[in-house]
């Protein structure tokens, strides 16, 4: 689901009680959490993104409102900077799919764990390993590897999750 393609899409609840259109997105911790919608009478309601699916050009959803209070409005077009203040471009899109969630800034994609969103987007560099992660004399992850979700999964599968975390310090 690409956010840039769902603005204005019709939203239909599974029980058929609420209908409307997508007008925006709320995010928390850098991750899209809710689709902001409105109905025919311009009353607003929110859809939990975990309970929404795209089907036949419509958003089908199960209504959920528990997480909403900690969310902020996520807008495309926000300026994006690196940790030194250098302008990287603007937030073009947020892509959510099987590979996870990615923030698109210019032509590059960034993981939510490296992003802070407010009035602007701040991109932090990923943590990198300062030494090899080993298990039984075998190198699992090499020094300099970015500690991404995939790298952590590989370390966890080898029983070296803690070692991987500690070698970024």
């Amino acid at each position: 689901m690409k956010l840039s393609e769902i603005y204005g899409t019709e939203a239909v609840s599974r029980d058929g009680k609420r209908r409307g259109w997508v007008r925006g997105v709320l995010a928390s911790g850098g991750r899209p959490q809710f689709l902001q919608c409105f109905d025919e009478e311009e009353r607003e309601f929110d859809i939990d993104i975990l309970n929404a699916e795209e089907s036949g050009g419509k958003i089908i959803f199960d209504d959920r409102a528990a997480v909403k209070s900690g969310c902020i409005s996520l807008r495309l077009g926000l300026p994006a900077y690196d940790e030194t203040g250098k302008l990287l471009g603007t937030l073009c899109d947020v892509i959510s799919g099987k590979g996870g969630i990615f923030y698109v800034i210019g032509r590059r994609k960034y993981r939510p764990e490296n992003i802070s969103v407010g009035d602007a987007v701040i991109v932090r560099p990923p943590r990198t390993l300062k030494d090899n992660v080993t298990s039984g004399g075998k190198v699992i992850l090499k020094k300099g590897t970015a500690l991404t979700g995939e790298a952590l999964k590989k370390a966890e599968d080898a029983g070296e999750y803690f070692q991987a975390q500690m070698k970024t310090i």
Side-chain angles (χ1 to χ4, degrees):
M1 182 181 328
K2 291 177 81 174
L3 292 182
S4 59
E5 295 175 357
I6 64 169
Y7 288 111
T9 302
E10 184 179 7
V12 180
S13 68
R14 292 193 200 283
D15 61 9
K17 291 184 182 176
R18 279 198 171 158
R19 296 174 182 262
W21 296 268
V22 177
R23 73 160 189 87
V25 177
L26 289 175
S28 175
R31 296 177 185 268
Q33 297 288 335
F34 292 91
L35 300 175
Q36 295 177 302
C37 302
F38 62 95
D39 65 13
E40 293 87 2
E41 296 176 14
E42 297 184 3
R43 290 181 298 203
E44 294 185 355
F45 64 96
D46 299 307
I47 299 171
D48 182 346
I49 207 158
L50 297 175
N51 294 326
E53 62 186 69
E54 205 172 342
S55 176
K58 297 179 182 180
I59 300 295
I60 310 296
F61 69 97
D62 291 320
D63 200 6
R64 189 187 90 143
V67 182
K68 181 185 166 195
S69 63
C71 293
I72 61 167
S73 181
L74 179 62
R75 301 181 325 265
L76 299 180
L78 291 173
Y81 302 93
D82 69 8
E83 75 283 358
T84 66
K86 178 183 171 195
L87 180 65
L88 300 174
T90 59
L91 179 62
C92 301
D93 211 342
V94 180
I95 301 170
S96 176
K98 291 182 182 177
I101 298 171
F102 294 94
Y103 281 68
V104 180
I105 298 169
R107 295 181 183 205
R108 296 197 58 197
K109 294 179 181 179
Y110 299 92
R111 306 277 312 176
E113 54 266 18
N114 299 331
I115 298 285
S116 293
V117 179
D119 292 334
V121 177
I122 306 298
V123 179
R124 296 178 307 278
R127 297 182 305 158
T128 56
L129 294 171
K130 295 184 177 22
D131 198 3
N132 292 337
V133 174
T134 59
S135 178
K138 181 181 174 190
V139 175
I140 305 300
L141 298 169
K142 293 183 179 181
K143 176 181 177 179
T145 301
L147 203 58
T148 62
E150 296 82 24
L152 282 171
K153 176 74 173 127
K154 189 174 181 180
E156 183 178 16
D157 291 345
E160 299 299 339
Y161 181 87
F162 183 74
Q163 181 186 168
Q165 293 282 0
M166 295 304 293
K167 290 199 173 177
T168 61
I169 299 173

PDB file of all heavy atoms in Angstrom, residues 33-69:
ATOM      1  N   GLN A  33       0.221   4.775  11.557  1.00  0.00           N
ATOM      2  CA  GLN A  33      -0.633   4.032  12.472  1.00  0.00           C
ATOM      3  C   GLN A  33      -2.104   4.065  12.060  1.00  0.00           C
ATOM      4  O   GLN A  33      -2.799   3.078  12.206  1.00  0.00           O
ATOM      5  CB  GLN A  33      -0.514   4.590  13.892  1.00  0.00           C
ATOM      6  CG  GLN A  33       0.860   4.453  14.486  1.00  0.00           C
ATOM      7  CD  GLN A  33       1.210   3.035  14.864  1.00  0.00           C
ATOM      8  OE1 GLN A  33       0.340   2.209  15.119  1.00  0.00           O
ATOM      9  NE2 GLN A  33       2.487   2.724  14.887  1.00  0.00           N
ATOM     10  N   PHE A  34      -2.575   5.229  11.588  1.00  0.00           N
ATOM     11  CA  PHE A  34      -3.991   5.399  11.263  1.00  0.00           C
ATOM     12  C   PHE A  34      -4.171   6.142   9.954  1.00  0.00           C
ATOM     13  O   PHE A  34      -3.372   7.016   9.621  1.00  0.00           O
ATOM     14  CB  PHE A  34      -4.716   6.194  12.354  1.00  0.00           C
ATOM     15  CG  PHE A  34      -4.824   5.465  13.645  1.00  0.00           C
ATOM     16  CD1 PHE A  34      -3.859   5.597  14.616  1.00  0.00           C
ATOM     17  CD2 PHE A  34      -5.895   4.629  13.898  1.00  0.00           C
ATOM     18  CE1 PHE A  34      -3.953   4.921  15.816  1.00  0.00           C
ATOM     19  CE2 PHE A  34      -6.001   3.947  15.095  1.00  0.00           C
ATOM     20  CZ  PHE A  34      -5.026   4.098  16.051  1.00  0.00           C
ATOM     21  N   LEU A  35      -5.246   5.795   9.237  1.00  0.00           N
ATOM     22  CA  LEU A  35      -5.683   6.565   8.085  1.00  0.00           C
ATOM     23  C   LEU A  35      -6.771   7.508   8.592  1.00  0.00           C
ATOM     24  O   LEU A  35      -7.717   7.074   9.250  1.00  0.00           O
ATOM     25  CB  LEU A  35      -6.260   5.655   7.008  1.00  0.00           C
ATOM     26  CG  LEU A  35      -5.313   4.599   6.441  1.00  0.00           C
ATOM     27  CD1 LEU A  35      -6.057   3.691   5.462  1.00  0.00           C
ATOM     28  CD2 LEU A  35      -4.121   5.242   5.775  1.00  0.00           C
ATOM     29  N   GLN A  36      -6.628   8.790   8.328  1.00  0.00           N
ATOM     30  CA  GLN A  36      -7.640   9.764   8.715  1.00  0.00           C
ATOM     31  C   GLN A  36      -8.673   9.822   7.594  1.00  0.00           C
ATOM     32  O   GLN A  36      -8.318   9.972   6.430  1.00  0.00           O
ATOM     33  CB  GLN A  36      -7.023  11.141   8.908  1.00  0.00           C
ATOM     34  CG  GLN A  36      -6.049  11.220  10.055  1.00  0.00           C
ATOM     35  CD  GLN A  36      -5.427  12.591  10.134  1.00  0.00           C
ATOM     36  OE1 GLN A  36      -4.812  13.059   9.200  1.00  0.00           O
ATOM     37  NE2 GLN A  36      -5.604  13.235  11.281  1.00  0.00           N
ATOM     38  N   CYS A  37      -9.947   9.714   7.944  1.00  0.00           N
ATOM     39  CA  CYS A  37     -11.011   9.666   6.943  1.00  0.00           C
ATOM     40  C   CYS A  37     -12.135  10.622   7.318  1.00  0.00           C
ATOM     41  O   CYS A  37     -12.199  11.127   8.424  1.00  0.00           O
ATOM     42  CB  CYS A  37     -11.574   8.250   6.839  1.00  0.00           C
ATOM     43  SG  CYS A  37     -10.339   7.026   6.409  1.00  0.00           S
ATOM     44  N   PHE A  38     -13.036  10.839   6.367  1.00  0.00           N
ATOM     45  CA  PHE A  38     -14.247  11.612   6.626  1.00  0.00           C
ATOM     46  C   PHE A  38     -15.400  10.950   5.879  1.00  0.00           C
ATOM     47  O   PHE A  38     -15.212  10.285   4.879  1.00  0.00           O
ATOM     48  CB  PHE A  38     -14.090  13.076   6.193  1.00  0.00           C
ATOM     49  CG  PHE A  38     -13.837  13.253   4.722  1.00  0.00           C
ATOM     50  CD1 PHE A  38     -14.889  13.501   3.846  1.00  0.00           C
ATOM     51  CD2 PHE A  38     -12.559  13.165   4.212  1.00  0.00           C
ATOM     52  CE1 PHE A  38     -14.664  13.657   2.492  1.00  0.00           C
ATOM     53  CE2 PHE A  38     -12.328  13.316   2.849  1.00  0.00           C
ATOM     54  CZ  PHE A  38     -13.380  13.563   1.988  1.00  0.00           C
ATOM     55  N   ASP A  39     -16.629  11.144   6.410  1.00  0.00           N
ATOM     56  CA  ASP A  39     -17.797  10.534   5.775  1.00  0.00           C
ATOM     57  C   ASP A  39     -18.570  11.574   4.962  1.00  0.00           C
ATOM     58  O   ASP A  39     -18.109  12.709   4.803  1.00  0.00           O
ATOM     59  CB  ASP A  39     -18.682   9.832   6.802  1.00  0.00           C
ATOM     60  CG  ASP A  39     -19.323  10.774   7.801  1.00  0.00           C
ATOM     61  OD1 ASP A  39     -19.299  12.002   7.586  1.00  0.00           O
ATOM     62  OD2 ASP A  39     -19.844  10.279   8.796  1.00  0.00           O
ATOM     63  N   GLU A  40     -19.750  11.190   4.464  1.00  0.00           N
ATOM     64  CA  GLU A  40     -20.546  12.069   3.610  1.00  0.00           C
ATOM     65  C   GLU A  40     -20.936  13.365   4.301  1.00  0.00           C
ATOM     66  O   GLU A  40     -21.139  14.393   3.658  1.00  0.00           O
ATOM     67  CB  GLU A  40     -21.826  11.348   3.133  1.00  0.00           C
ATOM     68  CG  GLU A  40     -21.564  10.186   2.203  1.00  0.00           C
ATOM     69  CD  GLU A  40     -21.321   8.872   2.945  1.00  0.00           C
ATOM     70  OE1 GLU A  40     -21.391   8.837   4.199  1.00  0.00           O
ATOM     71  OE2 GLU A  40     -21.037   7.877   2.270  1.00  0.00           O
ATOM     72  N   GLU A  41     -21.083  13.340   5.620  1.00  0.00           N
ATOM     73  CA  GLU A  41     -21.451  14.530   6.381  1.00  0.00           C
ATOM     74  C   GLU A  41     -20.224  15.255   6.943  1.00  0.00           C
ATOM     75  O   GLU A  41     -20.336  16.072   7.846  1.00  0.00           O
ATOM     76  CB  GLU A  41     -22.399  14.137   7.507  1.00  0.00           C
ATOM     77  CG  GLU A  41     -23.710  13.583   6.979  1.00  0.00           C
ATOM     78  CD  GLU A  41     -24.635  13.106   8.081  1.00  0.00           C
ATOM     79  OE1 GLU A  41     -24.394  13.441   9.258  1.00  0.00           O
ATOM     80  OE2 GLU A  41     -25.569  12.398   7.753  1.00  0.00           O
ATOM     81  N   GLU A  42     -19.043  14.919   6.418  1.00  0.00           N
ATOM     82  CA  GLU A  42     -17.755  15.504   6.794  1.00  0.00           C
ATOM     83  C   GLU A  42     -17.364  15.256   8.243  1.00  0.00           C
ATOM     84  O   GLU A  42     -16.588  15.998   8.831  1.00  0.00           O
ATOM     85  CB  GLU A  42     -17.717  16.999   6.474  1.00  0.00           C
ATOM     86  CG  GLU A  42     -17.858  17.270   5.003  1.00  0.00           C
ATOM     87  CD  GLU A  42     -17.720  18.738   4.636  1.00  0.00           C
ATOM     88  OE1 GLU A  42     -17.454  19.571   5.528  1.00  0.00           O
ATOM     89  OE2 GLU A  42     -17.884  19.025   3.472  1.00  0.00           O
ATOM     90  N   ARG A  43     -17.916  14.188   8.845  1.00  0.00           N
ATOM     91  CA  ARG A  43     -17.479  13.765  10.177  1.00  0.00           C
ATOM     92  C   ARG A  43     -16.202  12.949   9.997  1.00  0.00           C
ATOM     93  O   ARG A  43     -16.121  12.094   9.122  1.00  0.00           O
ATOM     94  CB  ARG A  43     -18.552  12.928  10.860  1.00  0.00           C
ATOM     95  CG  ARG A  43     -19.769  13.735  11.260  1.00  0.00           C
ATOM     96  CD  ARG A  43     -20.752  12.859  11.941  1.00  0.00           C
ATOM     97  NE  ARG A  43     -21.167  11.821  10.987  1.00  0.00           N
ATOM     98  CZ  ARG A  43     -22.283  11.143  11.049  1.00  0.00           C
ATOM     99  NH1 ARG A  43     -23.103  11.338  12.040  1.00  0.00           N
ATOM    100  NH2 ARG A  43     -22.580  10.238  10.151  1.00  0.00           N
ATOM    101  N   GLU A  44     -15.240  13.217  10.870  1.00  0.00           N
ATOM    102  CA  GLU A  44     -13.958  12.520  10.759  1.00  0.00           C
ATOM    103  C   GLU A  44     -13.960  11.226  11.558  1.00  0.00           C
ATOM    104  O   GLU A  44     -14.594  11.130  12.603  1.00  0.00           O
ATOM    105  CB  GLU A  44     -12.827  13.430  11.237  1.00  0.00           C
ATOM    106  CG  GLU A  44     -12.634  14.629  10.349  1.00  0.00           C
ATOM    107  CD  GLU A  44     -11.444  15.483  10.739  1.00  0.00           C
ATOM    108  OE1 GLU A  44     -10.809  15.196  11.786  1.00  0.00           O
ATOM    109  OE2 GLU A  44     -11.152  16.408  10.012  1.00  0.00           O
ATOM    110  N   PHE A  45     -13.238  10.244  11.058  1.00  0.00           N
ATOM    111  CA  PHE A  45     -12.991   9.000  11.783  1.00  0.00           C
ATOM    112  C   PHE A  45     -11.640   8.461  11.328  1.00  0.00           C
ATOM    113  O   PHE A  45     -11.097   8.888  10.316  1.00  0.00           O
ATOM    114  CB  PHE A  45     -14.117   7.980  11.572  1.00  0.00           C
ATOM    115  CG  PHE A  45     -14.278   7.495  10.154  1.00  0.00           C
ATOM    116  CD1 PHE A  45     -13.695   6.307   9.729  1.00  0.00           C
ATOM    117  CD2 PHE A  45     -15.036   8.222   9.246  1.00  0.00           C
ATOM    118  CE1 PHE A  45     -13.855   5.862   8.431  1.00  0.00           C
ATOM    119  CE2 PHE A  45     -15.207   7.781   7.942  1.00  0.00           C
ATOM    120  CZ  PHE A  45     -14.620   6.599   7.533  1.00  0.00           C
ATOM    121  N   ASP A  46     -11.084   7.572  12.134  1.00  0.00           N
ATOM    122  CA  ASP A  46      -9.759   7.023  11.856  1.00  0.00           C
ATOM    123  C   ASP A  46      -9.827   5.517  11.668  1.00  0.00           C
ATOM    124  O   ASP A  46     -10.632   4.844  12.299  1.00  0.00           O
ATOM    125  CB  ASP A  46      -8.788   7.351  12.990  1.00  0.00           C
ATOM    126  CG  ASP A  46      -8.625   8.845  13.167  1.00  0.00           C
ATOM    127  OD1 ASP A  46      -8.319   9.538  12.185  1.00  0.00           O
ATOM    128  OD2 ASP A  46      -8.817   9.317  14.295  1.00  0.00           O
ATOM    129  N   ILE A  47      -8.927   5.012  10.830  1.00  0.00           N
ATOM    130  CA  ILE A  47      -8.826   3.577  10.583  1.00  0.00           C
ATOM    131  C   ILE A  47      -7.424   3.134  10.996  1.00  0.00           C
ATOM    132  O   ILE A  47      -6.431   3.701  10.536  1.00  0.00           O
ATOM    133  CB  ILE A  47      -9.029   3.251   9.089  1.00  0.00           C
ATOM    134  CG1 ILE A  47     -10.411   3.685   8.623  1.00  0.00           C
ATOM    135  CG2 ILE A  47      -8.800   1.772   8.830  1.00  0.00           C
ATOM    136  CD1 ILE A  47     -10.607   3.594   7.121  1.00  0.00           C
ATOM    137  N   ASP A  48      -7.345   2.141  11.858  1.00  0.00           N
ATOM    138  CA  ASP A  48      -6.055   1.556  12.230  1.00  0.00           C
ATOM    139  C   ASP A  48      -5.460   0.909  10.987  1.00  0.00           C
ATOM    140  O   ASP A  48      -6.084   0.062  10.362  1.00  0.00           O
ATOM    141  CB  ASP A  48      -6.253   0.518  13.328  1.00  0.00           C
ATOM    142  CG  ASP A  48      -4.955  -0.092  13.802  1.00  0.00           C
ATOM    143  OD1 ASP A  48      -3.919   0.065  13.135  1.00  0.00           O
ATOM    144  OD2 ASP A  48      -4.979  -0.722  14.856  1.00  0.00           O
ATOM    145  N   ILE A  49      -4.252   1.297  10.630  1.00  0.00           N
ATOM    146  CA  ILE A  49      -3.626   0.796   9.402  1.00  0.00           C
ATOM    147  C   ILE A  49      -3.387  -0.719   9.454  1.00  0.00           C
ATOM    148  O   ILE A  49      -3.369  -1.380   8.435  1.00  0.00           O
ATOM    149  CB  ILE A  49      -2.339   1.579   9.080  1.00  0.00           C
ATOM    150  CG1 ILE A  49      -2.078   1.552   7.584  1.00  0.00           C
ATOM    151  CG2 ILE A  49      -1.160   1.082   9.873  1.00  0.00           C
ATOM    152  CD1 ILE A  49      -1.209   2.667   7.098  1.00  0.00           C
ATOM    153  N   LEU A  50      -3.266  -1.274  10.686  1.00  0.00           N
ATOM    154  CA  LEU A  50      -3.094  -2.719  10.825  1.00  0.00           C
ATOM    155  C   LEU A  50      -4.376  -3.478  10.505  1.00  0.00           C
ATOM    156  O   LEU A  50      -4.337  -4.667  10.199  1.00  0.00           O
ATOM    157  CB  LEU A  50      -2.635  -3.077  12.244  1.00  0.00           C
ATOM    158  CG  LEU A  50      -1.275  -2.540  12.674  1.00  0.00           C
ATOM    159  CD1 LEU A  50      -1.017  -2.874  14.130  1.00  0.00           C
ATOM    160  CD2 LEU A  50      -0.179  -3.070  11.782  1.00  0.00           C
ATOM    161  N   ASN A  51      -5.502  -2.797  10.609  1.00  0.00           N
ATOM    162  CA  ASN A  51      -6.792  -3.423  10.347  1.00  0.00           C
ATOM    163  C   ASN A  51      -7.390  -2.977   9.023  1.00  0.00           C
ATOM    164  O   ASN A  51      -8.595  -3.060   8.825  1.00  0.00           O
ATOM    165  CB  ASN A  51      -7.775  -3.099  11.477  1.00  0.00           C
ATOM    166  CG  ASN A  51      -7.352  -3.727  12.780  1.00  0.00           C
ATOM    167  OD1 ASN A  51      -6.795  -4.813  12.785  1.00  0.00           O
ATOM    168  ND2 ASN A  51      -7.595  -3.049  13.870  1.00  0.00           N
ATOM    169  N   ALA A  52      -6.551  -2.480   8.123  1.00  0.00           N
ATOM    170  CA  ALA A  52      -7.039  -2.007   6.831  1.00  0.00           C
ATOM    171  C   ALA A  52      -6.374  -2.803   5.720  1.00  0.00           C
ATOM    172  O   ALA A  52      -5.216  -3.183   5.814  1.00  0.00           O
ATOM    173  CB  ALA A  52      -6.723  -0.530   6.657  1.00  0.00           C
ATOM    174  N   GLU A  53      -7.137  -3.053   4.678  1.00  0.00           N
ATOM    175  CA  GLU A  53      -6.575  -3.700   3.504  1.00  0.00           C
ATOM    176  C   GLU A  53      -7.169  -3.056   2.265  1.00  0.00           C
ATOM    177  O   GLU A  53      -8.283  -2.545   2.281  1.00  0.00           O
ATOM    178  CB  GLU A  53      -6.845  -5.201   3.522  1.00  0.00           C
ATOM    179  CG  GLU A  53      -8.321  -5.568   3.482  1.00  0.00           C
ATOM    180  CD  GLU A  53      -8.544  -7.058   3.647  1.00  0.00           C
ATOM    181  OE1 GLU A  53      -8.300  -7.550   4.754  1.00  0.00           O
ATOM    182  OE2 GLU A  53      -8.962  -7.687   2.673  1.00  0.00           O
ATOM    183  N   GLU A  54      -6.371  -3.056   1.213  1.00  0.00           N
ATOM    184  CA  GLU A  54      -6.812  -2.493  -0.045  1.00  0.00           C
ATOM    185  C   GLU A  54      -7.476  -3.602  -0.848  1.00  0.00           C
ATOM    186  O   GLU A  54      -6.921  -4.687  -0.991  1.00  0.00           O
ATOM    187  CB  GLU A  54      -5.600  -1.933  -0.785  1.00  0.00           C
ATOM    188  CG  GLU A  54      -5.929  -0.856  -1.757  1.00  0.00           C
ATOM    189  CD  GLU A  54      -4.655  -0.214  -2.296  1.00  0.00           C
ATOM    190  OE1 GLU A  54      -3.585  -0.367  -1.685  1.00  0.00           O
ATOM    191  OE2 GLU A  54      -4.759   0.423  -3.344  1.00  0.00           O
ATOM    192  N   SER A  55      -8.668  -3.350  -1.354  1.00  0.00           N
ATOM    193  CA  SER A  55      -9.384  -4.362  -2.116  1.00  0.00           C
ATOM    194  C   SER A  55     -10.297  -3.680  -3.124  1.00  0.00           C
ATOM    195  O   SER A  55     -11.191  -2.925  -2.738  1.00  0.00           O
ATOM    196  CB  SER A  55     -10.205  -5.255  -1.178  1.00  0.00           C
ATOM    197  OG  SER A  55     -10.959  -6.181  -1.914  1.00  0.00           O
ATOM    198  N   GLY A  56     -10.061  -3.943  -4.394  1.00  0.00           N
ATOM    199  CA  GLY A  56     -10.917  -3.395  -5.441  1.00  0.00           C
ATOM    200  C   GLY A  56     -10.987  -1.885  -5.449  1.00  0.00           C
ATOM    201  O   GLY A  56     -12.054  -1.328  -5.675  1.00  0.00           O
ATOM    202  N   GLY A  57      -9.870  -1.208  -5.193  1.00  0.00           N
ATOM    203  CA  GLY A  57      -9.856   0.247  -5.184  1.00  0.00           C
ATOM    204  C   GLY A  57     -10.481   0.868  -3.955  1.00  0.00           C
ATOM    205  O   GLY A  57     -10.732   2.069  -3.921  1.00  0.00           O
ATOM    206  N   LYS A  58     -10.747   0.072  -2.925  1.00  0.00           N
ATOM    207  CA  LYS A  58     -11.329   0.565  -1.684  1.00  0.00           C
ATOM    208  C   LYS A  58     -10.459   0.125  -0.516  1.00  0.00           C
ATOM    209  O   LYS A  58      -9.715  -0.833  -0.607  1.00  0.00           O
ATOM    210  CB  LYS A  58     -12.739   0.002  -1.479  1.00  0.00           C
ATOM    211  CG  LYS A  58     -13.730   0.422  -2.527  1.00  0.00           C
ATOM    212  CD  LYS A  58     -15.078  -0.194  -2.259  1.00  0.00           C
ATOM    213  CE  LYS A  58     -16.052   0.210  -3.350  1.00  0.00           C
ATOM    214  NZ  LYS A  58     -17.371  -0.371  -3.134  1.00  0.00           N
ATOM    215  N   ILE A  59     -10.590   0.837   0.591  1.00  0.00           N
ATOM    216  CA  ILE A  59      -9.947   0.438   1.842  1.00  0.00           C
ATOM    217  C   ILE A  59     -11.025  -0.240   2.680  1.00  0.00           C
ATOM    218  O   ILE A  59     -12.040   0.365   3.015  1.00  0.00           O
ATOM    219  CB  ILE A  59      -9.371   1.651   2.596  1.00  0.00           C
ATOM    220  CG1 ILE A  59      -8.314   2.373   1.759  1.00  0.00           C
ATOM    221  CG2 ILE A  59      -8.816   1.229   3.952  1.00  0.00           C
ATOM    222  CD1 ILE A  59      -7.068   1.576   1.476  1.00  0.00           C
ATOM    223  N   ILE A  60     -10.810  -1.520   3.006  1.00  0.00           N
ATOM    224  CA  ILE A  60     -11.725  -2.284   3.856  1.00  0.00           C
ATOM    225  C   ILE A  60     -11.073  -2.327   5.240  1.00  0.00           C
ATOM    226  O   ILE A  60      -9.885  -2.630   5.354  1.00  0.00           O
ATOM    227  CB  ILE A  60     -11.922  -3.721   3.321  1.00  0.00           C
ATOM    228  CG1 ILE A  60     -12.270  -3.719   1.830  1.00  0.00           C
ATOM    229  CG2 ILE A  60     -12.954  -4.464   4.154  1.00  0.00           C
ATOM    230  CD1 ILE A  60     -13.573  -3.058   1.482  1.00  0.00           C
ATOM    231  N   PHE A  61     -11.837  -2.032   6.296  1.00  0.00           N
ATOM    232  CA  PHE A  61     -11.207  -1.931   7.611  1.00  0.00           C
ATOM    233  C   PHE A  61     -12.057  -2.465   8.745  1.00  0.00           C
ATOM    234  O   PHE A  61     -13.270  -2.555   8.646  1.00  0.00           O
ATOM    235  CB  PHE A  61     -10.846  -0.474   7.902  1.00  0.00           C
ATOM    236  CG  PHE A  61     -12.039   0.421   8.117  1.00  0.00           C
ATOM    237  CD1 PHE A  61     -12.478   0.717   9.394  1.00  0.00           C
ATOM    238  CD2 PHE A  61     -12.729   0.959   7.054  1.00  0.00           C
ATOM    239  CE1 PHE A  61     -13.573   1.542   9.604  1.00  0.00           C
ATOM    240  CE2 PHE A  61     -13.825   1.781   7.246  1.00  0.00           C
ATOM    241  CZ  PHE A  61     -14.250   2.075   8.520  1.00  0.00           C
ATOM    242  N   ASP A  62     -11.346  -2.822   9.834  1.00  0.00           N
ATOM    243  CA  ASP A  62     -11.939  -3.103  11.140  1.00  0.00           C
ATOM    244  C   ASP A  62     -11.643  -1.871  11.992  1.00  0.00           C
ATOM    245  O   ASP A  62     -10.488  -1.474  12.110  1.00  0.00           O
ATOM    246  CB  ASP A  62     -11.305  -4.333  11.797  1.00  0.00           C
ATOM    247  CG  ASP A  62     -11.644  -5.613  11.083  1.00  0.00           C
ATOM    248  OD1 ASP A  62     -12.798  -5.759  10.650  1.00  0.00           O
ATOM    249  OD2 ASP A  62     -10.750  -6.468  10.965  1.00  0.00           O
ATOM    250  N   ASP A  63     -12.645  -1.263  12.587  1.00  0.00           N
ATOM    251  CA  ASP A  63     -12.464  -0.033  13.352  1.00  0.00           C
ATOM    252  C   ASP A  63     -11.709  -0.299  14.655  1.00  0.00           C
ATOM    253  O   ASP A  63     -12.044  -1.207  15.392  1.00  0.00           O
ATOM    254  CB  ASP A  63     -13.826   0.580  13.636  1.00  0.00           C
ATOM    255  CG  ASP A  63     -13.736   2.055  13.979  1.00  0.00           C
ATOM    256  OD1 ASP A  63     -12.644   2.635  13.894  1.00  0.00           O
ATOM    257  OD2 ASP A  63     -14.767   2.611  14.337  1.00  0.00           O
ATOM    258  N   ARG A  64     -10.683   0.505  14.959  1.00  0.00           N
ATOM    259  CA  ARG A  64      -9.883   0.396  16.187  1.00  0.00           C
ATOM    260  C   ARG A  64      -9.346   1.769  16.552  1.00  0.00           C
ATOM    261  O   ARG A  64      -8.813   2.455  15.692  1.00  0.00           O
ATOM    262  CB  ARG A  64      -8.727  -0.566  15.945  1.00  0.00           C
ATOM    263  CG  ARG A  64      -7.963  -0.926  17.188  1.00  0.00           C
ATOM    264  CD  ARG A  64      -6.760  -1.733  16.814  1.00  0.00           C
ATOM    265  NE  ARG A  64      -5.670  -0.792  16.583  1.00  0.00           N
ATOM    266  CZ  ARG A  64      -4.418  -1.028  16.924  1.00  0.00           C
ATOM    267  NH1 ARG A  64      -4.076  -2.159  17.416  1.00  0.00           N
ATOM    268  NH2 ARG A  64      -3.502  -0.122  16.712  1.00  0.00           N
ATOM    269  N   ALA A  65      -9.474   2.195  17.791  1.00  0.00           N
ATOM    270  CA  ALA A  65      -9.085   3.551  18.162  1.00  0.00           C
ATOM    271  C   ALA A  65      -8.183   3.632  19.391  1.00  0.00           C
ATOM    272  O   ALA A  65      -7.970   4.709  19.913  1.00  0.00           O
ATOM    273  CB  ALA A  65     -10.333   4.395  18.377  1.00  0.00           C
ATOM    274  N   ALA A  66      -7.623   2.543  19.864  1.00  0.00           N
ATOM    275  CA  ALA A  66      -6.861   2.551  21.120  1.00  0.00           C
ATOM    276  C   ALA A  66      -5.510   3.253  21.016  1.00  0.00           C
ATOM    277  O   ALA A  66      -5.081   3.917  21.949  1.00  0.00           O
ATOM    278  CB  ALA A  66      -6.656   1.121  21.599  1.00  0.00           C
ATOM    279  N   VAL A  67      -4.810   3.139  19.904  1.00  0.00           N
ATOM    280  CA  VAL A  67      -3.449   3.662  19.788  1.00  0.00           C
ATOM    281  C   VAL A  67      -3.419   5.125  19.344  1.00  0.00           C
ATOM    282  O   VAL A  67      -2.409   5.800  19.452  1.00  0.00           O
ATOM    283  CB  VAL A  67      -2.649   2.793  18.776  1.00  0.00           C
ATOM    284  CG1 VAL A  67      -1.219   3.256  18.640  1.00  0.00           C
ATOM    285  CG2 VAL A  67      -2.684   1.341  19.191  1.00  0.00           C
ATOM    286  N   LYS A  68      -4.521   5.633  18.884  1.00  0.00           N
ATOM    287  CA  LYS A  68      -4.586   6.942  18.241  1.00  0.00           C
ATOM    288  C   LYS A  68      -4.040   8.098  19.069  1.00  0.00           C
ATOM    289  O   LYS A  68      -3.428   9.019  18.526  1.00  0.00           O
ATOM    290  CB  LYS A  68      -6.023   7.238  17.835  1.00  0.00           C
ATOM    291  CG  LYS A  68      -6.193   8.559  17.149  1.00  0.00           C
ATOM    292  CD  LYS A  68      -7.640   8.843  16.881  1.00  0.00           C
ATOM    293  CE  LYS A  68      -7.815  10.291  16.513  1.00  0.00           C
ATOM    294  NZ  LYS A  68      -9.174  10.694  16.580  1.00  0.00           N
ATOM    295  N   SER A  69      -4.234   8.098  20.372  1.00  0.00           N
ATOM    296  CA  SER A  69      -3.888   9.247  21.204  1.00  0.00           C
ATOM    297  C   SER A  69      -2.408   9.616  21.145  1.00  0.00           C
ATOM    298  O   SER A  69      -2.061  10.780  21.317  1.00  0.00           O
ATOM    299  CB  SER A  69      -4.300   9.000  22.651  1.00  0.00           C
ATOM    300  OG  SER A  69      -3.594   7.900  23.169  1.00  0.00           O
TER     301      SER A  69
END
